[in-house]
Amino acid sequence: MTEASVGQGVPVSQLPSGLGRRWIRRRRVEKIPDQPIVHLLRDSDSGALVDQLSDHLGTVVPHVRLDVGGTPAETPRQKSVQIRELLDKAAQGLRDADSWPRIGRLRFRRYALLSWLLKKNLPPTNLAQAPHSHTRQLLREYLRSRRPRRDRQQPQQEAALWESAAQSLPWYLFALSLTFFPLYYAWWVRQGRVARWFMRQRYLSPRESADFPSFAQRLITTPSRWENAEQVRKLLVHAFLTDLAESYTRRLWRWQWVPKDCYPVLLLRNLGDETAGKVLVRLINDVRNETGVPDPLLVIGSGAQPLQDSETPSAPVTLETWPETLQEARRKRSNTAWYVTLRVADEPHSADDEPGVSLGQTSLPLKRSKLLRRIPILLVVLLVLGGGAVYLQQYQQHCGRSWWPWTNTDLWSAGDECVGIADPGYHFSSDIKDENLRNRLINAQQAIEGENDLAEGKNRVDQDQPLPYISIVYFSTLTGKDPDSSTLDGVAAELEGLAKAQEKARMDGGVAIRVVLANGGASMSHAPDVAERIVEYAKGTSPGEPPVVAVVGLGGSWDGTAKAISTLGHSGLAMIGTVTSADVFPKLSRLYHQVGPTNLWESQVVAQHVRNIGVHDVTVYYEEGDLYSKNLAEDIGAQLGDSARLVDPQRSNPSDAVRCSPDSLVFFSGRADQFGKYLNTVQDKCVDPEMRPRLMAGDDTTKFLLDRQLPPGVQLDYIDFTGLRVQEGTDGLVGRGLLAFDAVDLVRQAVRKVTDGQVEVDTTPLNGQAVWYGIARLGENQGGIRANSGPIDFGAPAGQVPVRKAISVMRVVEAGSDGAQPNDRKPVLVMHCGNTPRQTGQCPP
């Protein structure tokens, strides 16, 4: 493009190589470049320049021709109407431009609504009577009018069609059709892109209106009369330019993108100093200066004389030098910042030797635009394929609600088990074969869900005297590789104890408790991963939900439990174990406590019992890879000294270590699931009942012994953590159910300890540290902490495990031994030792 200053002649034949390439076929850059307002000057037949450019652009570039040579209106209102009519023609011409295959139809959502509202010219309404009701009805009418109509008879035909369809629709579909549009209107007024834009733009002070209908009320009541008319005209231009800018903005979700070489062109014929075109040009200049928003509109006018302004630049401005001076002129709010004049030489006469060269029609390459139009399709295909693959992977790994795997993201499949944190409605172990046990587990989980609902309701109802509202995670082995495992019997008892503890806390305990179930899998093998999910779950609790303050249960003394305790402790969550007894657990975290005895105290009771019955030959069976079994066996070995032999059946034949003598004792420190095999080993080795050794088992076999039949003539002593209560069954709880009840109740007492005396419940933040502090304060009570399984005395300040917790040695005698009657399986108390007023037998000092 050759530099052409003001007054310098440029033949029109040079426009395709200069003006066409530089300003119509824009360089392909991502950001919309600044577009000037070019004024082509020629003394004779200047309007032909617009016609020639329109023919040159053809159907490739969207453009519209306007005759702006009319005299500006006299009154401000008439001038606003004049500008609106010009922009209406421009919007309609650009929208209907025959360039659909390339760029698609340009849409003027903001400007169309603004023009439609301004055409109403209604008198101000009395706001005392149904404020803005008429405006809202007009907005609904506008939304309905956006549907295309073929002819004038269509509204009546459409109404008749709707009436006929309504009569044939079922009532529920008809009701849905009536509610859909009001819902869409409510969303459009509050969250719609157009309504939000009107409330955020700068003209006519939209923030003085409460909402968009209020602002629209000002637009329909002749704003050029009641408000600043210049602001109304600028709002028209701003909406027009914003719609164009949005149409040329590239977004991935659009089916077609408008290429950068097809910017719209506004051709103004007869642009002069005393014309309506000058008002329009100055409005475009001012709006661009004031908003700073780029738009793609290229304005080209033609006339005989330049526009007269007081701010004529001191140096000639050309298309090459104009971008260098634009920024400074914009900051100064110059009314000629975007204005560039070009003098075009007159057409040579037909008799000249070199006649004028015809412009012809421009031709733009389609290679880039076609590629861009295919990118969204490629992206959609990739998203569908990638999303489908992720869904299938999540579907295979997910358990619970299979069709929507993302509804319960804290549950996942690990082999044949479903581990993690359960949402309400999901029940663990609902597929086991034992119908009685399955029903018991499901009923217990449903009881907990019911108590959760009651606790939430009580927290909401008692607003005058609100209760502390907390969440406790029950973390245990809720599934097993062996569905008939006795482990699930104990878990069912603990679930029943949880529901009882919730009920007591809600009724007369002064605390509303929600229990969340988390499964660590068989042998707590997935406990470390689930513990991390519990930490994230506790951190993600919203302000309106009860905070997670403690984790109870912990599933027993497993290696996975040890790792989970470390993870939970580092995150500040208090932990209370039920049947956890390994000596190493208190050393892993200061926030760990337990309500059952330790292995050390259990070994002392076992050693005393061995001494009481006068046995000096003890064989202790244990499993090397089992934390609980090995720890208990080592503690017993340390208490009995040389009279005990530790035998690992995995390394030697268990029958070789059995001594068939009534003066010997076989102690089984393994898991209950393996007890039956070792019992058979003893019977096979010692066939004569008179020569069988005494049998004794650890605490893990309790439920096995209560729920299964011992062989005839077998007498077995075993350790029971719940003591005498296993016989009495007070509150309907036995065995591990008492320990679970005590774990939850200990949390309740700790919360009450730190919240008693507070005027408002939220004075002290309830979290794991608060529970830990409350337990420490409870440890100061004389006689220990009240518990159903026996008083809990944590000993020294901030102790973690019960000192001399009540523990019992029970004896089961089956038919054929000591005169026991058939089916007489009630255990007999042999010893009851520890911190209890009902101590029985000779106990350890």
Side-chain angles (χ1 to χ4, degrees):
M1 171 68 191
T2 58
E3 293 186 4
S5 62
V6 177
Q8 183 176 354
V10 178
V12 71
S13 60
Q14 296 183 10
L15 284 176
S17 61
L19 182 62
R21 283 200 303 266
R22 179 168 179 81
W23 298 110
I24 300 176
R25 294 175 56 187
R26 294 301 306 175
R27 292 173 297 176
R28 293 168 180 172
V29 294
E30 293 302 323
K31 181 180 178 181
I32 297 178
D34 297 323
Q35 301 281 29
I37 302 174
V38 181
H39 193 181
L40 303 179
L41 304 178
R42 193 166 69 177
D43 294 333
S44 62
D45 197 13
S46 60
L49 294 173
V50 171
D51 297 335
Q52 288 178 328
L53 284 175
S54 178
D55 295 339
H56 170 64
L57 298 177
T59 61
V60 177
V61 178
H63 65 282
V64 63
R65 287 181 292 179
L66 297 178
D67 191 342
V68 295
T71 303
E74 297 180 358
T75 65
R77 177 184 174 186
Q78 293 175 347
K79 187 178 295 184
S80 298
V81 173
Q82 188 178 44
I83 295 300
R84 176 173 55 78
E85 291 177 347
L86 287 175
L87 291 177
D88 284 349
K89 294 179 181 178
Q92 185 174 1
L94 291 177
R95 186 194 64 182
D96 298 336
D98 189 12
S99 55
W100 174 261
R102 176 179 293 273
I103 66 173
R105 188 178 298 277
L106 299 178
R107 298 181 179 180
F108 294 87
R109 294 184 175 90
R110 298 164 182 81
Y111 178 79
L113 175 59
L114 177 60
S115 178
W116 189 84
L117 292 173
L118 292 176
K119 290 177 183 178
K120 297 301 178 182
N121 287 329
L122 301 176
T125 58
N126 185 5
L127 299 183
Q129 299 177 355
H132 309 314
S133 61
H134 181 61
T135 304
R136 298 180 187 275
Q137 182 62 32
L138 285 178
L139 292 176
R140 295 188 182 96
E141 178 184 344
Y142 171 76
L143 289 179
R144 294 189 181 97
S145 69
R146 292 171 58 184
R147 291 177 292 183
R149 292 171 179 171
R150 300 176 182 175
D151 51 41
R152 297 180 180 179
Q153 300 298 327
Q154 186 170 359
Q156 292 80 2
Q157 297 174 359
E158 186 177 10
L161 181 63
W162 273 103
E163 183 178 357
S164 175
Q167 295 176 358
S168 60
L169 280 177
W171 67 269
Y172 52 87
L173 293 181
F174 178 67
L176 181 63
S177 66
L178 294 178
T179 58
F180 172 75
F181 187 81
L183 291 176
Y184 172 72
Y185 168 76
W187 172 86
W188 182 82
V189 168
R190 293 172 174 80
Q191 299 297 330
R193 185 190 310 172
V194 174
R196 286 188 286 115
W197 180 85
F198 274 104
M199 298 305 296
R200 295 175 181 176
Q201 53 84 30
R202 57 177 297 163
Y203 298 111
L204 289 181
S205 302
R207 293 305 177 91
E208 294 181 0
S209 304
D211 52 11
F212 177 63
S214 302
F215 184 67
Q217 176 73 25
R218 296 165 54 189
L219 297 177
I220 65 177
T221 54
T222 317
S224 296
R225 177 181 176 185
W226 304 101
E227 303 196 34
N228 190 298
E230 182 72 9
Q231 290 278 304
V232 175
R233 293 190 286 272
K234 288 183 178 181
L235 178 57
L236 281 166
V237 174
H238 185 30
F240 181 83
L241 297 179
T242 301
D243 285 329
L244 285 177
E246 183 181 271
S247 297
Y248 281 80
T249 300
R250 297 186 176 185
R251 293 186 173 92
L252 294 178
W253 58 84
R254 286 185 171 172
W255 180 257
Q256 289 182 325
W257 289 346
V258 181
K260 299 296 184 180
D261 51 10
C262 289
Y263 286 142
V265 181
L266 181 61
L267 300 175
L268 305 179
R269 184 198 296 269
N270 299 325
L271 177 61
D273 191 52
E274 296 297 333
T275 63
K278 178 181 179 180
V279 179
L280 177 60
V281 166
R282 288 297 178 258
L283 286 172
I284 295 175
N285 182 91
D286 294 343
V287 169
R288 286 177 173 178
N289 286 343
E290 294 170 3
T291 62
V293 179
D295 63 84
L297 182 65
L298 173 61
V299 182
I300 301 178
S302 66
Q305 298 296 328
L307 303 181
Q308 299 298 324
D309 289 284
S310 59
E311 300 181 9
T312 303
S314 58
V317 177
T318 67
L319 288 176
E320 299 294 338
T321 61
W322 169 77
E324 301 174 359
T325 61
L326 175 62
Q327 296 303 323
E328 180 180 357
R330 291 179 65 179
R331 287 192 294 268
K332 292 181 179 180
R333 296 295 189 267
S334 170
N335 59 358
T336 59
W338 300 82
Y339 182 62
V340 179
T341 60
L342 294 178
R343 176 68 63 176
V344 181
D346 294 338
E347 288 285 349
H349 297 289
S350 60
D352 292 346
D353 295 336
E354 297 181 358
V357 180
S358 176
L359 288 177
Q361 287 196 352
T362 184
S363 176
L364 300 178
L366 294 176
K367 182 177 181 181
R368 179 180 175 87
S369 59
K370 283 184 177 180
L371 175 63
L372 292 179
R373 274 183 277 170
R374 283 165 174 76
I375 287 179
I377 301 178
L378 296 176
L379 290 177
V380 170
V381 172
L382 292 176
L383 287 175
V384 170
L385 294 178
V390 173
Y391 177 84
L392 290 177
Q393 181 182 9
Q394 183 72 8
Y395 178 85
Q396 294 175 354
Q397 295 181 354
H398 186 266
C399 51
R401 303 173 185 177
S402 57
W403 287 107
W404 303 104
W406 289 283
T407 58
N408 194 347
T409 57
D410 291 325
L411 270 181
W412 68 94
S413 296
D416 297 333
E417 297 182 282
C418 189
V419 299
I421 305 173
D423 278 349
Y426 178 77
H427 300 144
F428 290 106
S429 296
S430 59
D431 56 348
I432 61 176
K433 299 179 181 179
D434 189 338
E435 182 178 359
N436 293 331
L437 179 57
R438 180 177 67 247
N439 293 337
R440 186 183 176 192
L441 287 167
I442 294 177
N443 292 338
Q445 294 176 74
Q446 290 176 343
I448 291 175
E449 293 172 2
E451 286 297 329
N452 289 343
D453 296 337
L454 292 175
E456 181 180 4
K458 189 173 184 61
N459 179 68
R460 292 180 178 180
V461 172
D462 296 345
Q463 294 297 329
D464 296 335
Q465 295 180 348
L467 301 179
Y469 189 27
I470 61 173
S471 291
I472 296 177
V473 177
Y474 174 70
F475 185 22
S476 187
T477 300
L478 293 168
T479 57
K481 295 180 180 179
D482 180 8
D484 296 327
S485 170
S486 60
T487 300
L488 295 182
D489 287 297
V491 169
E494 291 194 10
L495 293 174
E496 294 165 352
L498 296 175
K500 288 290 185 180
Q502 286 181 275
E503 180 182 5
K504 177 182 178 181
R506 174 176 53 84
M507 297 296 293
D508 55 8
V511 179
I513 300 177
R514 182 183 70 167
V515 173
V516 180
L517 303 182
N519 179 30
S523 305
M524 296 295 284
S525 56
H526 302 282
D529 295 333
V530 179
E532 294 179 358
R533 293 292 183 96
I534 294 175
V535 171
E536 296 175 2
Y537 177 82
K539 292 180 179 179
T541 304
S542 61
E545 295 180 349
V548 178
V549 301
V551 178
V552 302
L554 299 176
S557 301
W558 301 94
D559 291 331
T561 305
K563 297 177 182 178
I565 290 174
S566 299
T567 300
L568 297 172
H570 291 159
S571 302
L573 287 175
M575 295 157 282
I576 301 177
T578 52
V579 293
T580 51
S581 58
D583 298 333
V584 71
F585 285 173
K587 303 175 183 178
L588 300 177
S589 173
R590 291 289 299 169
L591 297 179
Y592 169 81
H593 296 80
Q594 66 187 52
V595 295
T598 63
N599 280 350
L600 179 60
W601 170 237
E602 181 178 350
S603 66
Q604 294 175 2
V605 174
V606 170
Q608 183 63 45
H609 176 65
V610 170
R611 289 191 287 267
N612 291 345
I613 62 179
V615 174
H616 302 285
D617 183 8
V618 178
T619 302
V620 182
Y621 286 105
Y622 75 99
E623 298 180 15
E624 178 66 28
D626 190 331
L627 175 62
Y628 157 78
S629 179
K630 184 178 180 180
N631 179 222
L632 179 58
E634 290 177 346
D635 285 345
I636 293 176
Q639 295 294 327
L640 295 176
D642 296 338
S643 61
R645 299 187 310 279
L646 306 185
V647 177
D648 180 10
Q650 301 296 330
R651 299 183 180 181
S652 60
N653 188 354
S655 61
D656 295 340
V658 176
R659 295 187 180 181
C660 298
S661 171
D663 296 330
S664 63
L665 184 141
V666 177
F667 186 89
F668 176 73
S669 66
R671 301 291 178 174
D673 297 341
Q674 302 296 325
F675 177 73
K677 181 173 64 175
Y678 298 111
L679 185 60
N680 292 333
T681 300
V682 175
Q683 289 182 300
D684 294 340
K685 179 66 178 298
C686 305
V687 179
D688 186 0
E690 300 296 332
M691 298 301 295
R692 287 177 184 171
R694 294 175 179 268
L695 298 179
M696 190 172 187
D699 60 276
D700 197 73
T701 60
T702 301
K703 287 304 298 176
F704 178 88
L705 298 172
L706 292 178
D707 296 335
R708 301 193 182 187
Q709 185 77 28
L710 286 175
V714 174
Q715 173 181 304
L716 175 67
D717 297 340
Y718 67 93
I719 301 297
D720 181 27
F721 279 1
T722 55
L724 295 175
R725 293 297 299 272
V726 76
Q727 291 181 304
E728 299 172 0
T730 306
D731 300 328
L733 299 177
V734 294
R736 290 170 59 174
L738 295 172
L739 296 176
F741 181 97
D742 290 343
V744 174
D745 194 61
L746 179 60
V747 177
R748 179 195 65 82
Q749 294 184 59
V751 170
R752 293 298 303 172
K753 193 69 174 181
V754 299
T755 58
D756 277 345
Q758 296 180 358
V759 178
E760 297 182 0
V761 173
D762 297 332
T763 304
T764 300
L766 294 178
N767 49 35
Q769 289 84 350
V771 172
W772 173 83
Y773 175 74
I775 294 176
R777 292 285 307 277
L778 290 172
E780 300 172 358
N781 297 343
Q782 293 291 335
I785 304 171
R786 175 174 49 84
N788 284 347
S789 60
I792 301 174
D793 181 8
F794 286 119
Q800 297 175 255
V801 295
V803 177
R804 296 178 63 85
K805 176 66 188 296
I807 194 172
S808 301
V809 177
M810 311 297 294
R811 178 171 296 167
V812 174
V813 180
E814 287 300 326
S817 177
D818 294 341
Q821 299 299 320
N823 299 325
D824 185 6
R825 303 170 61 191
K826 184 176 181 180
V828 178
L829 178 66
V830 178
M831 293 175 57
H832 185 60
C833 302
N835 184 14
T836 171
R838 304 178 62 181
Q839 185 164 290
T840 304
Q842 185 176 356
C843 297

